[in-house]
């Protein structure tokens, strides 16, 4: 089973700052099989990025994804108030595992 | 518009079974795999498995093999997830999620609202 490790666990930033979230896989993952989700309290997750770098429908361009192999990154260029949430990466290659999540909180 | 509407909250005793439904609308039900994901209180997301609504074929996470059964009823565009031999650590919100894909890759583009299953004696 592929294990995804997200870091940091918590990111404390101010609105307008740049957020860089990491997702590291225990084995190589096809870029097609890497996605990022945002989850706010009491809500279902929302798809942000799929195929490692493609934005889902309706996702603002301040969200971008990059990476390949075992190292992937989600970048939020300028944090808006509504971006403070928990972010998960997921791979579909083997057993469809999720990372443990990164909480982006207001500093 | 695409919607996935799940059944309501359940309270079960340890050792019992629970069956959660996920009714799809706004798209061709048999055209997309349906996945199930759960989230224990205050914890992360855990993938449970998928069902191909067209063929009925399934694939379950190893952790749930032997305890989970995913089925569907195409006549009413509904997917089901049944979990048996419930334990207290099965207390979680259970989500259904539609898997979409294109030339770039895969992602769960629509999710149900979640069903809270509480296991308590």
């Amino acid at each position: 089973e592929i294990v995804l490790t997200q870091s940091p666990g918590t990111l404390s930033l101010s609105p307008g700052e740049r957020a860089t979230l990491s997702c590291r896989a225990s084995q190589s993952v096809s870029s097609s099989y890497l996605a990022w989700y945002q989850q706010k309290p009491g809500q279902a997750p929302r798809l942000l990025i799929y195929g490692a770098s493609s934005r889902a429908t309706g996702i603002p361009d301040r969200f971008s994804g990059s990476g390949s192999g075992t190292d992937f990154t989600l970048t939020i260029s300028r944090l808006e108030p509504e971006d403070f949430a928990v972010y998960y990466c997921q791979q579909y290659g083997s057993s469809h595992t999720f990372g443990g999540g990164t909480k982006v909180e207001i500093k | 518009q695409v919607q996935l509407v799940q059944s309501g909250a359940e309270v079960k005793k340890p050792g019992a079974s629970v069956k959660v439904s996920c009714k799809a609308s706004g798209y061709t039900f048999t055209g997309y795999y349906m996945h199930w994901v759960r989230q224990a209180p205050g914890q992360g997301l855990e993938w449970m498995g998928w069902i191909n609504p067209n063929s009925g074929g399934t694939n379950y996470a190893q952790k749930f093999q032997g305890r989970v059964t995913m089925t569907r009823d195409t006549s009413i565009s509904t997917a089901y997830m049944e979990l048996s031999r419930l334990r207290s650590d099965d207390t979680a919100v259970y989500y259904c999620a539609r898997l979409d894909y294109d030339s770039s890759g895969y992602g769960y583009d629509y999710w149900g609202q979640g069903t809270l299953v509480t296991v308590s004696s």
Side-chain angles (χ1 to χ4, degrees):
Chain A
E1 174 179 299
I2 296 176
V3 176
L4 298 179
T5 302
Q6 291 189 241
S7 61
T10 301
L11 201 50
S12 299
L13 296 167
S14 300
E17 290 193 293
R18 181 184 188 89
T20 303
L21 287 65
S22 172
C23 175
R24 180 160 291 177
S26 60
Q27 305 171 40
S28 184
V29 173
S30 166
S31 294
S32 296
Y33 294 161
L34 196 288
W36 290 91
Y37 297 87
Q38 176 194 68
Q39 188 179 33
K40 297 179 181 178
Q43 297 184 16
R46 177 173 72 143
L47 177 64
L48 296 176
I49 300 289
Y50 67 99
S53 60
S54 295
R55 271 187 300 278
T57 302
I59 301 303
D61 61 8
R62 64 179 181 272
F63 290 93
S64 63
S66 63
S68 62
T70 59
D71 289 294
F72 298 89
T73 300
L74 174 70
T75 302
I76 310 171
S77 59
R78 287 178 56 86
L79 283 164
E80 297 288 341
E82 62 267 28
D83 299 337
F84 292 92
V86 180
Y87 294 82
Y88 295 94
C89 58
Q90 186 197 18
Q91 63 82 25
Y92 300 93
S94 168
S95 200
H96 305 266
T97 49
F98 286 92
T102 290
K103 181 179 182 179
V104 179
E105 65 176 23
I106 299 176
K107 186 174 181 180
Chain B
Q1 73 284 18
V2 174
Q3 281 192 300
L4 300 177
V5 178
Q6 298 183 222
S7 48
E10 303 261 13
V11 179
K12 296 291 184 181
K13 293 195 182 303
S17 297
V18 68
K19 190 171 185 177
V20 179
S21 68
C22 172
K23 181 170 179 59
S25 61
Y27 72 98
T28 301
F29 177 64
T30 52
Y32 297 80
Y33 282 37
M34 193 71 77
H35 289 232
W36 290 87
V37 174
R38 77 176 186 179
Q39 186 170 38
Q43 302 301 308
L45 302 170
E46 183 174 31
W47 178 76
M48 299 182 69
W50 56 251
I51 182 166
N52 176 348
N54 188 41
S55 67
T58 56
N59 180 31
Y60 304 141
Q62 190 168 6
K63 174 177 179 175
F64 300 103
Q65 292 272 1
R67 281 211 304 145
V68 71
T69 304
M70 295 178 188
T71 57
R72 90 295 189 214
D73 184 338
T74 57
S75 68
I76 55 172
S77 300
T78 299
Y80 301 93
M81 187 284 300
E82 184 170 21
L83 190 61
S84 63
R85 302 194 301 277
L86 289 168
R87 307 185 293 254
S88 58
D89 62 358
D90 290 318
T91 294
V93 175
Y94 290 77
Y95 293 101
C96 58
R98 186 183 87 159
L99 181 69
D100 193 15
Y101 66 92
D102 62 20
S103 59
S104 295
Y106 298 77
Y108 298 147
D109 60 345
Y110 288 94
W111 294 68
Q113 83 275 21
T115 296
L116 175 62
V117 175
T118 302
V119 183
S120 173
S121 55

